[in-house]
Amino acid sequence: MSARPKLRGRGPRAARKTLRGRVALVVGLGGFVLASWLPGLGHASTVAEQRARLPPPATCKDPIAGVWKSHSYDQRFRDWTIFTLELQRTAPGVDEFEGRITNHSWVAEPHESSPPPCRGELRYLISMDAKGHVRDGIISVYGVGSWKLDEVLCGSWNMGYNLDHFSGQIDPELMEFQSVNNDGGRAVNDPVVFRRVHCNDGEQPDQEPRIAVAPPPFTPPEEEGGGCGLR
């Protein structure tokens, strides 16, 4: 057993500095672990990344009804999720909607935005009936009744599921809304970007000119000074 080398400057003052350094390191690591655990803190895809994955917007006669999609990744659970909202008006001219919410999720790595070949990790389809409304440009869509496990495409299912609830301000030019999902369980203010990608069956597309939407880069450059937008 070799002797421990003698360190210089190990007097009381140096010891106090070392102790303070160790405390700062522990506090810093603790803050990192806490930030990594708390929901809604830097785990989901950024808004720009989510937008870049979505198809071009659909221009329909109806400003709201149609098929809306999202496509995001959650680092906490290593899973990709595509939500689909199918919305129809309950009556002409009424901003009340009904339809369906579908969740297609799979466990995979960040670069696997499409489902990889089955390798034993979970991939599933869940759906539920939905209702919604629009008030002052803010849309709210939420699951009603009971959710249904439509298919387990890979792995095994051994858990429950909370009904989804999305809400956000609609951008009528982009045909998007940046929502937060709150399901009373895992999802707490999770940012989810929806874009309308299809009109409902039998509805003619709107021929009026709209602005062209060029998708942003997949990984946008960081801006100096940070920001306070959704992830």
Side-chain angles (χ1 to χ4, degrees), residues 118-191:
C118 184
R119 54 192 180 217
E121 296 193 280
L122 185 61
R123 179 185 171 197
Y124 60 88
L125 287 170
I126 280 178
S127 64
M128 66 198 74
D129 292 333
K131 290 187 177 181
H133 59 260
V134 175
R135 303 283 188 272
D136 298 324
I138 297 176
I139 187 170
S140 179
V141 180
Y142 48 91
V144 294
S146 301
W147 59 274
K148 177 184 177 184
L149 181 61
D150 295 309
E151 189 173 4
V152 178
L153 298 159
C154 191
S156 59
W157 178 271
N158 59 356
M159 52 189 166
Y161 192 89
N162 289 10
L163 298 179
D164 295 296
H165 185 179
F166 303 101
S167 60
Q169 180 79 42
I170 292 179
D171 186 326
E173 294 294 338
L174 300 179
M175 271 293 99
E176 293 180 359
F177 68 94
Q178 297 180 11
S179 74
V180 290
N181 184 19
N182 286 284
D183 64 8
R186 160 180 161 174
V188 180
N189 290 329
D190 280 356

Side-chain angles (χ1 to χ4, degrees), residues 61-79:
K61 286 292 186 181
D62 192 295
I64 305 296
V67 179
W68 299 72
K69 281 189 178 290
S70 70
H71 192 166
S72 61
Y73 185 72
D74 192 319
Q75 295 180 15
R76 292 170 298 174
F77 300 94
R78 290 182 53 246
D79 61 3

Side-chain angles (χ1 to χ4, degrees), residues 59-61 204-210:
T59 55
C60 312
K61 286 292 186 181
Q204 295 298 320
D206 188 355
Q207 300 301 324
E208 294 181 6
R210 289 179 177 268

Side-chain angles (χ1 to χ4, degrees), residues 37-60:
W37 174 83
L38 286 175
L41 293 181
H43 299 287
S45 309
T46 67
V47 167
E49 288 171 342
Q50 293 186 50
R51 293 182 68 224
R53 299 184 195 107
L54 296 172
T59 55
C60 312

